[in-house]
Amino acid sequence: MAASPAYGEEKGGSSSLGEPEYGHDPASGGIFASDYKRHDDLKEMLDSNKDSLKLEAMKRIVAMIARGKNASDLFPAVVKNVACKNIEVKKLVYVYLVRYAEEQQDLALLSISTFQRGLKDPNQLIRASALRVLSSIRVPIIVPIMMLAIKEAASDMSPYVRKTAAHAIPKLYSLDSDQKDQLIEVIEKLLADKTTLVAGSVVMAFEEVCPERIDLIHKNYRKLCNLLIDVEEWGQVVIINMLTRYARTQFLSPNQNESLLEESAEKAFYGSEEEDTKDAKAEAASLAKRKPYVMDPDHRLLLRNTKPLLQSRNAAVVMAVAQLYFHLAPKAEVGVIAKALVRLLRSHSEVQYVVLQNVATMSIKRRGMFEPYLKSFYIRSTDPTQIKILKLEVLTNLANETNISTILREFQTYIRSMDKDFVAATIQAIGRCATNIGKVRDTCLNGLVQLLSNRDELVVAESVVVIKKLLQMQPAQHSEIIKHMAKLTDNIQVPMARASILWLIGEYCEHVPKIAPDVLRKMAKSFTNEEDIVKLQVINLAAKLYLTNSKQSKLLTQYVLNLAKYDQNYDIRDRARFIRQLIVPTEKSGALNKYAKKLFLAQKPAPILESSFKDRDHFQLGSLSHLLNAKAVGYQELPDWPDEAPDPSVRNVEVPEWTKCTSREKRKDKVEKPFYSDSEGESGPTESADSEPESDSEESGSSSSSGTSSSSSEEEDEEEEEGGSEEQSEDKEGEEEEEEKRKKKKEKGGPRKASPRSVGSEEEEEAEGKKVKKAAGPQGKKGHAESSSEEASASESSSSGSDSGTEAPTVVEAKRRKIPSSKAGPKEISLLDLDDFTPPPPQPVPSSSIISTSLVTDLEGLTLTDTSLAPALLSPAFGAVRTYELLHRMAGEGLSVEYCFSRRPFPGDPHMVAVQIQISNNTDAEVKSLRVSEPKLLAGMRIQEFPEIESLAPGDTASVVMGIDFCDSTQAANFQLCTHTRHFYVSIQPPVGELMAPVFMSENEFRKEQEHLARRGEGKLTGMSEITEKLTLPEKCRSDHAIVQQVTSAANVGRVPCGADNEYRFAAKTVTSGSLVLITLEWREGAAAQLTVNSEKMVIGTMLVKDIIQALAQ
Amino acid sequence: MIHSLFLINCSGDIFLEKHWKSVVSQSVCDYFFEAQEKAIDVENVPPVISTPLHYLISIYRDKIFFVSVIQTEVPPLFVIEFLHRVADTFQDYFGECSETAIKDNVVIVYELLEEMLDNGFPLATESNILKELIKPPTILRSVVNSITGSSNVGDTLPTGQLSNIPWRRAGVKYTNNEAYFDVIEEIDAIIDKSGSTVFAEIQGVIDSCIKLSGMPDLSLSFMNPRLLDDVSFHPCIRFKRWESERVLSFIPPDGNFRLISYRVSSQNLVAIPVYVKHLISFKENSSSGRFDVTIGPKQNMGKTVEGVVMTVHMPKAVLNMNLTATQGSYTFDPVTKVLAWDVGKITPQKLPNLKGIVNLQSGAPKPEENPSLNIQFKIQQLAISGLKVNRLDMYGEKYKPFKGVKYITKAGKFQVRT
């Protein structure tokens, strides 16, 4: 400081610091405050230790930047402060850096390390801003660093940082487009992100980097549709525009059969405008009419989810939805957007301008849509001219036979406006109405003729031009008007109008044989002073007269042509030469001469007055290109509808978001809650990343918001009713049951195809002689209404069974129904295959606690905490049921007994394995009082005997269920089967796979549990809880389907959704102790695979591995 | 998306520039100036201008042109809406969106623009979020800051940014908890020469000023919600609830905001609260004309019509006007040819009248059209559509808030053709 010049010192330390230094322009500062010195003083301040001085200096520098002054020579001094503690100084330094780094690349590199450090900061705001600045510095050398930073940030736990990463992608792309492939990977990853915060930004990046990679959207399509309502408004615009394009490539045109039904469709949509509630009806009606076309449910989803956004306060969002409807919706539904667009006309004049442009285009194609709002387009004298002209355009487009009189009356007032440009446009508009609507042509023409005596020349000129066009339609009747116009040539000076009159006279010179030569005479006189356009018409007139009336006009024509020959304009010279050759017969002139009359006086088609907005709709509405009517840089063409719809299954998601919603309460809540803002907000922010270090917290959190409206309301209703009827009969199980059903039904209701189910399983069932209800499996493609009704009947039958007290057989029966479903496609996760019945939890975990905890977590939008980690128990899912023989026919003296593990929870005791026993009486006599007695069990084992069978007629078969608590061991349970005459010693030995019941958990939970188990194992002995075995998959087991089937048949486990392709995960709990068993099967290249089983029970683990390998090897 | 922003005042000075991508030279504005010159009138500058390398999208607000530079395809409304949002934010921060206010707070303006856009894509536009990031300037704060050296810039991520209610900041505390709603209705109308209504429509808004602590969940219901034909909502409103029950349910932002804007269905006949008797004529071949206008009240449901102002754009040929007003005062600007008559309150007993002679340019042809009259007025304590707020309930917080609803009817674009 001391060394600095006095002036600088004064500036630096004095009280005048507070104000930005406007007065210190080099020019105004005088010789003492030279530019150099002034900056010197800023440098001093930047070097000082005081933050306040630095801040002051930075503020002055930023003020300079804001005014466009060059402050680049301060770069070294500023860049030093990049690590300043004061956050405001730091921010201002960032501003400076971003502005000048491009110019001073070498120096800018000094700051990079600070940002790299910032990227690791615990504060998400600092991480994000470091990434922002780093990516904004346009220095090519740091591209690799940027790439790394973006990749890292893309998996940051804070959605805000991920959002910033999405923003950084286009920045990097514009700096180095070679990074495209890598960036697409990041985009793909971020597209899968489920937070609303990220969605808009990543779609933006997608649009800038790889808009052609429409395939990246498939998997995220439904999610984007469902999230849309909660995305911030700017993101909504970008997403809607992108989805419009997407839908155009993926769905069929909803209007393909429209043309026949045009009338009725129009009516339908008028109705819909009256009241929104009618919409659905109109929709249904119009859909019913169009039989052959069935709208893709995903197409419908998009339309349904965007519609509420018409109510947005943001004009851009409304416009985006409007264009989406215009381009994608069935004709009958497009009408809903009119109201919203008309509303925007109340907004700022710039908004009006853009909206009117779009309305003008729409009103050509869909006139009926805006007709009810005709008066909203009436023009006020205070409107800016450009708005007036656009409104006029719309009014003209809307004119039809019924409303033309009102419109013309309105036009009459416009003609007297002071705004002459507007008057001219009105006259044009009248002309257009007259051409389009024959009824009013004469009226319009008369009106326009009256305007010919208007005092304003512009008005007259415009009228002349329009009249000329109108006359061309029926010239014979209007020779009076032509005469009147001929008189005007004396007064009117506007070139276009003069040219029009001359053309008219020339064209219809036969109607005005006396006047025409006189006009030519006058024009010949003033020829040299005319405008070019008039001169050309004079020549035309002369030629035509020469051909029709050469006696009177020969000399005049020669004169005009001579004048034209020496004109300055080459067009005119050219024309004169051409016409002379054509009309004046000479020796040289050839055959053309004969046809001159035909050439000049041919019947000319009347011009069609068209809107300048016609055909503009080949540009995506609302786009810049549409507004300019020219392709803007980076405009993405709106593709035409495909003839054949591409495979809709590409949008199926393997790990559906909703599997994460563990409680049905949640989804119910969601649906009931309003779109815009869920009151979940009350319980705090959805995502508080800093407080939840686990990365999975985000995912489950986002799923809560994504669940918002995945199910349609109709579906909801149905389920509600059904659930209600069931709960009456089975209160205990009702809740979970309903949830399961919902999941299942959704699956069926969805568009995905159920994969073909193997015939074998059906046969198997038949062989067992069961009355199998084929509810779930094969008809996955049918409407859900059907399947749900079937389900309903199924549940009825089961509930009636339970009423009568003989619970066991019916349970079995009900269970049977699920067998086929387990054969469903390999990609289906087992969750879908569940039956209506859910076991009571095997552990004394009250079901309510599951619900409540998960409800809480839903509200928080966070991961399940440990307490809620009692994962929801599932009904079993499995393949073919294997039956074992308990008593052979021979040994049993005609009584044969078979058993199988039904994999049902045993009613009454969750710790027991249900064993289904089938007893056939092959004797000739009745077998009486069939029962179990004298069980010989190991310590801890228990048996719940089946109720005694009073009698079994010859040839009859009875099926009963007994429960056995095997204490998680594979020890056999021995007991006696008694009849009224005999005792048979029998034993049941369970395969290890039957000692467990499947549990449902998410991928994250699975991983967490696995880790947890592994860690516990380490505490004792490594490998204690993990058994890994390599195996070779035989040929037939190399499909997803086969693997899942084999594993589930070997053990009663539930499949866990898994992101990786070649990995299969299953989870179960042992029935007695409830300890987790986790199975991971990794399918490596070829036939190689690795099986890992984690379980606290080592014995079970080992045996399970053996069993599964055996099953797979079969 | 948005490449750069230039702020230009009416005299054509570029007084602020901000670039979000690489720097675009100021010379790009020359195209804008060209268009501006061509348009003569400021309102006629086309909002979108195409130049060889860029596209310029501009808005005109409070005597400032906000000119943004675009390089690639982007929905024009997106940019326009954003620019208006920027202007709104300035208004919000500095109390006015004027050249002086922006120049005085240039650093805050710059910080705001930096937060609002990232690489040209909007980042934070909610006023509640911005205010947490960058505190609005107050005299007290600037004094405190200059002493303590603390900054105006927040160092943590605003809570709103991550929550799904980004419009509300956390930890709001008031000693007096108040919620005020202003139901403001505007009548847009075109009345023709004979006094019959060509077109009339009621447009309304509900502006709110909410100063409630914590996270209140409000629901506002109307006596006659069916009146509302077309509604647009602040994002805070739960759409489903409105759809099903016609109740506005929302967690409000803190401070002033527009809750909804609506249009009253056009089937309802609009009661026009005033009538105008007028006689304006220009004599042929004489340099004078007559001007006689009377305004009277009509169907105003017992409320007084006040704040009546009439403005007339007279034809160019008018040189001067020599009038007498029985009430209020009038001015005539011979340059812009605008006649403004400030009437004030209308009392039915004595109707305000403005009468006199119009002096025309001698020799000029008589103006063809009579000018249209633009009327402004205000009626307190009345919503002309009959809309009534039924009740306001608050959930989620324990205190009892003070609630208030105010109704005002105003003239919107109210024009009488003569």
Side-chain angles (χ1 to χ4, degrees), chain A residues 22 59 62-63 65-68 86-88 91-92 95 99 102 123-125 132 138 159-160 163 167 170-171 197 200-201 204 208 233-234 237-238 241 274 308 311-316 319 339-340 342-343 345-346 348 350-355 373 375-376 378-382 384-386 410 413-414 416-418 454-456 622-625 627-628 631-635 673-679 681-682 685-687, chain B residues 1 15-17 19-23 26 43-48 50 55 58-61 71-78 80-82 84-85 103 106-107 110-111 114-115 117-119 121-123 125-126 149 151-157 161-165 167 186 188-190 193 198-199 201 203 217 229-241 251 263 267 284 313-315 365-366 368-369 372 374 413 415 417:
Chain A
Y22 291 111
K59 281 186 170 171
V62 166
I65 296 173
R67 278 178 299 151
N86 183 312
I87 191 126
E88 192 168 10
K91 274 203 162 174
L92 295 176
V95 169
R99 171 69 179 75
E102 207 173 4
N123 183 337
Q124 50 183 340
L125 185 63
R132 260 184 81 180
R138 288 165 293 274
Y160 184 71
K163 183 187 177 76
H167 281 261
K171 297 184 204 170
L197 201 58
S201 304
M204 183 66 225
E208 285 204 13
E233 43 199 352
W234 312 108
V237 178
V238 178
N241 279 320
E274 299 304 316
Q311 250 74 50
S312 171
R313 62 168 170 173
N314 187 320
M319 189 66 232
K339 201 186 267 182
V342 169
R343 183 183 67 229
L345 294 181
R346 281 274 301 175
H348 304 283
E350 297 87 4
V351 175
Q352 284 183 46
Y353 177 79
V354 178
V355 171
Y373 303 100
K375 289 191 171 175
S376 304
Y378 279 6
I379 294 156
R380 291 180 172 77
S381 60
T382 39
T385 310
Q386 49 183 354
E410 190 63 19
T413 47
Y414 300 165
R416 287 183 290 131
S417 164
M418 283 179 266
N454 193 289
R455 201 174 292 129
D456 192 283
S623 67
L624 185 60
S625 305
L627 192 81
L628 299 168
K631 222 167 153 180
V633 181
Y635 173 70
K673 259 172 207 153
F675 258 167
Y676 270 176
S677 57
D678 298 349
S679 56
E682 281 171 305
T686 329
E687 305 253 340
Chain B
M1 286 213 152
F15 66 90
L16 187 114
E17 63 176 72
H19 307 277
W20 284 277
K21 299 185 182 181
S22 38
V23 179
Q26 284 197 353
E43 343 174 81
N44 273 322
V45 180
V48 182
S50 177
Y55 306 98
S58 61
I59 63 161
Y60 181 70
R61 273 276 292 261
Q71 227 164 11
T72 53
E73 168 69 47
V74 60
L77 270 186
F78 185 98
I80 289 170
E81 184 78 28
F82 176 79
H84 278 295
R85 208 61 73 82
K103 277 183 170 170
V106 71
V107 174
Y110 232 65
E111 284 168 345
E114 185 75 22
E115 284 307 328
L117 277 186
D118 181 14
N119 195 35
F121 190 76
L123 193 62
T125 49
E126 282 294 340
S151 78
N152 276 329
V153 177
D155 58 351
T156 50
L157 190 67
Q161 195 56 282
L162 288 174
S163 80
N164 51 1
I165 41 168
W167 53 84
E186 296 193 349
D188 287 359
I190 302 175
K193 225 177 196 163
V198 177
F199 166 76
E201 195 177 58
Q203 304 269 1
D217 193 338
D229 181 35
D230 180 41
V231 198
S232 82
F233 296 125
H234 189 277
C236 68
I237 290 173
R238 299 179 177 110
F239 184 68
K240 271 279 156 103
R241 190 87 192 277
I251 295 172
R263 190 175 61 210
Q267 277 88 353
E284 196 75 54
H313 288 260
M314 298 304 287
K366 132 187 145 111
E368 276 175 60
E369 192 203 26
S372 26
N374 297 300
K413 297 171 178 171
Q415 195 159 80
R417 291 174 178 167

Side-chain angles (χ1 to χ4, degrees), chain A residues 809-829:
Chain A
T810 45
V811 166
V812 173
E813 222 174 73
K815 175 220 79 186
R816 281 282 151 199
R817 289 187 287 116
K818 92 206 160 211
I819 296 174
S821 66
S822 68
K823 303 282 185 182
K827 299 213 163 175
E828 312 269 52
I829 62 156

Side-chain angles (χ1 to χ4, degrees), chain A residues 483-644:
Chain A
K483 277 179 204 160
H484 183 87
M485 290 175 76
K487 283 180 203 150
L488 285 173
T489 44
D490 295 341
N491 305 321
I492 210 159
Q493 291 305 321
V494 178
M496 191 59 209
R498 286 176 80 85
S500 295
I501 296 173
L502 292 175
W503 185 88
L504 261 180
I505 294 171
E507 191 66 25
Y508 305 115
C509 51
E510 278 145 350
H511 299 292
V512 283
K514 286 185 185 151
I515 295 171
D518 198 47
V519 171
L520 181 62
R521 182 183 59 80
K522 280 185 190 163
M523 294 314 294
K525 228 170 162 181
S526 61
F527 185 84
T528 44
N529 298 324
E530 298 290 349
E531 286 278 331
D532 291 346
I533 180 175
V534 183
K535 283 177 179 169
L536 287 173
Q537 288 308 325
V538 175
I539 298 170
N540 260 348
L541 174 64
K544 284 172 184 168
L545 280 178
Y546 183 87
L547 290 171
T548 52
N549 185 2
S550 61
K551 205 177 105 207
Q552 272 185 305
S553 53
K554 190 172 179 184
L555 283 171
L556 271 173
T557 308
Q558 293 286 2
Y559 176 67
V560 168
L561 288 178
N562 281 335
L563 283 178
K565 193 175 173 183
Y566 299 107
D567 198 90
Q568 286 185 321
N569 187 304
Y570 51 77
D571 273 344
I572 293 169
R573 295 198 301 271
D574 222 32
R575 178 74 62 88
R577 210 171 301 138
F578 160 71
I579 284 186
R580 191 191 292 272
Q581 289 302 317
L582 203 60
I583 60 171
V584 185
T586 57
E587 309 88 61
K588 271 186 250 170
S589 63
L592 270 179
N593 203 336
K594 282 179 223 154
Y595 301 108
K597 206 164 183 173
K598 273 193 181 160
L599 280 173
F600 276 103
L601 295 170
Q603 195 76 145
K604 294 168 185 76
I608 305 158
L609 297 179
E610 269 182 343
S611 165
S612 56
F613 287 88
K614 196 165 183 276
D615 291 334
R616 264 214 211 175
D617 63 331
H618 66 268
F619 287 114
Q620 186 166 2
L621 266 85
S623 67
L624 185 60
S625 305
H626 169 267
L627 192 81
L628 299 168
N629 201 15
K631 222 167 153 180
V633 181
Y635 173 70
Q636 293 290 320
E637 207 75 59
L638 192 65
D640 255 337
W641 294 103
D643 295 330
E644 290 278 321

